[in-house]
Amino acid sequence: MEEKGGATSELQDLLRIAGIGLVLGLLHIFFEQTGKKEFSFFLNFIAYLYITIELLRFLRLFFDEIITFFQWLMTS
């Protein structure tokens, strides 16, 4: 099972997002250059949805950490 909120996990997540963003950026440029602007638009839309979902996942992890911190404060 993957470590929750670990530094290696966060680095892997960031590298995965950067890699996917790089591939999507290159595909966007390719479709723009070949004149297939409708594919480029849908690619941007898919990239936006992916980044939004990842951001929501990161926010959930962030708020889980905050809740854990406040629970720790209440027990101390």
Side-chain angles (χ1 to χ4, degrees), residues 28-60:
H28 171 74
I29 291 171
F30 172 75
F31 286 134
E32 284 284 325
Q33 293 294 322
T34 57
K36 299 186 185 213
K37 296 200 185 285
E38 62 276 359
F39 289 131
S40 178
F41 170 77
F42 286 119
L43 196 62
N44 279 339
F45 182 70
I46 290 170
Y48 177 77
L49 286 178
Y50 173 73
I51 295 300
T52 302
I53 290 168
E54 286 294 324
L55 180 63
L56 290 175
R57 190 176 65 84
F58 282 138
L59 282 174
R60 181 181 53 87

Side-chain angles (χ1 to χ4, degrees), residues 8-9 19 21 24 38-39 45 65-67 71 76:
T8 58
S9 167
L24 289 175
E38 62 276 359
F39 289 131
F45 182 70
E65 291 292 325
I66 289 177
I67 288 171
Q71 287 173 349
S76 296

Side-chain angles (χ1 to χ4, degrees), residues 2-14 58 61 65:
E2 186 176 331
E3 179 182 321
K4 180 181 173 186
T8 58
S9 167
E10 292 171 0
L11 180 62
Q12 289 175 350
D13 289 339
L14 288 176
F58 282 138
L61 291 173
E65 291 292 325

